[in-house]
Amino acid sequence: MTIKERVYKEIYSDIFAGKYGPNEILTENKLVEKYAVSKSPVREALLELCKDQVLQSLPRLGYQVKPVSLKEVLDILEYRIDMEISGLRRAFPYITEQDIQILDEMSDKTPEELIDPDWSRNESFHLKLYELNSNHYGYQELQKTLKQSSRFITQYFHTAWQKANEMNNQCHKEIVNCIRDGNLEGACRKLSHDIASIKEEIQKMHRF
């Protein structure tokens, strides 16, 4: 891992964890001091984060953590439902017993993972499920979408994320059970509910 990659990862992780809030300004000088590196890798990491739409450059001020609207969060969850359901429908006739076993193992979560703000296991389950339809372009797009949606949700809607995370462990098991039973429509309903559960929690928060 290069210095730029390490700095990128650490800044991204801090934003993901909510250490830098929406609209907060990051400056090269402060980050150089924090990570004890030269300006060059810090600047490169910041520019890369701008490309990934995590930050936006403000001339003479620094780099602002991009705020996210409620509509953006809800839109990306709707997009995920459409994308992942279509992927499951295409993959369903070709899913093997070995695939089911892998998904079943991936759906197990420890109590610690249920409260951990790192969504890596949740993302891995959804990516593996989508991968079974063999659409490599779609897989890459889902990777980017999952990365963005998890950042949006954990950074801005942490309470909603925690409630949904407690539910999706059971949803993953139910998805796998439906696939094992040959129940495509049931699997699609469970997958849709899994993604929509956090959308519902977010909407509840904004009613009050």
Side-chain angles (χ1 to χ4, degrees), residues 4-207:
K4 183 208 90 170
E5 290 169 339
R6 178 175 65 81
V7 172
Y8 175 103
K9 184 177 179 181
E10 291 190 24
I11 296 172
Y12 185 90
S13 295
D14 284 345
I15 294 171
F16 192 96
K19 293 180 182 178
Y20 300 126
N23 297 311
E24 187 165 345
I25 304 294
L26 310 183
T27 64
E28 288 183 11
N29 289 337
K30 285 184 180 178
L31 294 172
V32 164
E33 184 179 344
K34 179 175 181 178
Y35 299 118
V37 296
S38 66
K39 274 195 172 183
S40 181
V42 168
R43 185 177 297 115
E44 290 173 5
L46 289 168
L47 291 174
E48 194 71 23
L49 285 160
C50 288
K51 284 183 188 176
D52 290 343
Q53 299 184 30
V54 177
L55 301 175
Q56 54 189 1
S57 177
L58 300 179
R60 297 183 296 279
L61 289 177
Y63 297 82
Q64 182 183 49
V65 178
K66 286 192 71 172
V68 178
S69 70
L70 174 63
K71 186 176 187 308
E72 284 179 285
V73 178
L74 299 182
D75 282 352
I76 202 169
L77 291 170
E78 286 286 350
Y79 174 70
R80 278 190 55 198
I81 291 172
D82 293 343
M83 186 179 189
E84 293 187 50
I85 293 296
S86 64
L88 176 56
R89 288 189 180 280
R90 284 194 302 273
F92 199 79
Y94 311 105
I95 297 176
T96 66
E97 190 57 43
Q98 184 179 10
D99 294 329
I100 293 171
Q101 182 62 35
I102 292 170
L103 289 168
D104 199 24
E105 291 171 1
M106 294 178 77
S107 68
D108 289 325
K109 280 187 182 178
T110 66
E112 292 77 17
E113 287 167 335
L114 289 175
I115 59 172
D116 187 349
D118 181 357
W119 264 24
S120 58
R121 282 182 66 88
N122 182 67
E123 290 176 11
S124 295
F125 178 88
H126 285 271
L127 284 169
K128 178 60 182 176
L129 189 59
Y130 188 86
E131 183 184 33
L132 300 178
N133 84 89
S134 300
N135 185 323
H136 299 300
Y137 177 80
Y139 182 88
Q140 292 174 335
E141 288 301 302
L142 182 59
Q143 268 188 316
K144 290 187 284 188
T145 301
L146 283 167
K147 182 178 181 181
Q148 192 169 25
S149 67
S150 61
R151 180 178 67 82
F152 284 1
I153 294 160
T154 54
Q155 186 177 352
Y156 299 99
F157 302 101
H158 189 272
T159 301
W161 163 79
Q162 190 163 344
K163 288 182 180 178
N165 194 36
E166 291 165 0
M167 291 186 284
N168 71 26
N169 186 46
Q170 183 61 32
C171 281
H172 290 179
K173 282 289 186 187
E174 291 172 352
I175 292 165
V176 175
N177 288 338
C178 285
I179 293 172
R180 183 179 282 117
D181 293 340
N183 183 358
L184 171 58
E185 295 308 318
C188 288
R189 284 195 301 273
K190 295 297 181 183
L191 178 56
S192 178
H193 175 69
D194 180 34
I195 302 168
S197 61
I198 191 165
K199 177 183 172 183
E200 292 165 4
E201 288 298 329
I202 290 169
Q203 287 173 318
K204 284 179 191 175
M205 289 171 60
H206 280 263
R207 291 193 190 114

